[in-house]
Structures are given as C-alpha cells and as structure tokens.
Amino acid sequence: MMRLIFAMALIGLALPANAACYADYKAKQDAPLRLHYGVAQVSDAACGSNDAAKSELAPRLAVDGWTVLNVVSTFGPEGLDERKESAGQYFLRY
C-alpha cells in the first residue's frame, strides 16, 4: 500500500503545472483606423514568446477584422488584475 501511495505521489510531481498564460497586445483596424489594447489567454506553447503569442492571436482577431500589431508581453494569472482596466472591453475577449 505504501508503494502505491509513493508511486502516485511521484506521478503527481512529474506532471507539469497547468498554469494559465496570457498575452497583452495592440491591434488595429483600417478604414477607419481604430486601435485597441487587449489581453487574451494563450496556449502554454505560446507562453514566453511574443512571436508565438502573436501567431496564435492573429487568426482570432482577424475574424473581427483586427490585425495584431505586436504582443507587449506574456504573463501568468498574477498579471491580470493590473491590466484589466486598460484592456476594457478587450479583456479576455479573444
């Protein structure tokens, strides 16, 4: 029984933490020119790379006619509250 508990504990330690990842970005629409700042959740694969986050966000925003200009940063859940007000209606929209 102790071996089973020990084995399960080791398996639990080996699993990666599933922390959410987010990116804050700037986007534009043309005709007429409109700009917005937003925050969106991105995959673990895109976390830590602004280029990967931009590639992931571009098709999501393009559905509504937005072009991603740049990804400002990627961050964990601890950075959400400080960005919520600035992102306004584009907070976790895409």
Side-chain angles (χ1 to χ4, degrees), residues 5-86:
I5 293 171
F6 182 71
M8 292 182 75
L10 286 178
I11 290 170
L13 291 174
L15 296 175
N18 199 9
C21 185
Y22 303 89
D24 56 342
Y25 64 88
K26 295 178 183 178
K28 73 169 186 159
Q29 275 183 339
D30 291 320
L33 178 63
R34 293 177 31 186
L35 303 170
H36 87 250
Y37 166 82
V39 174
Q41 188 167 4
V42 294
S43 68
D44 290 342
C47 199
S49 168
N50 290 0
D51 290 337
K54 183 177 179 180
S55 295
E56 188 173 306
L57 292 172
R60 290 191 221 167
L61 276 75
V63 169
D64 290 332
W66 292 99
T67 301
V68 179
L69 297 172
N70 70 309
V71 169
V72 179
S73 64
T74 59
F75 55 93
E78 68 282 350
L80 284 175
D81 286 341
E82 66 191 66
R83 293 169 172 89
K84 186 173 185 176
E85 187 176 332
S86 295

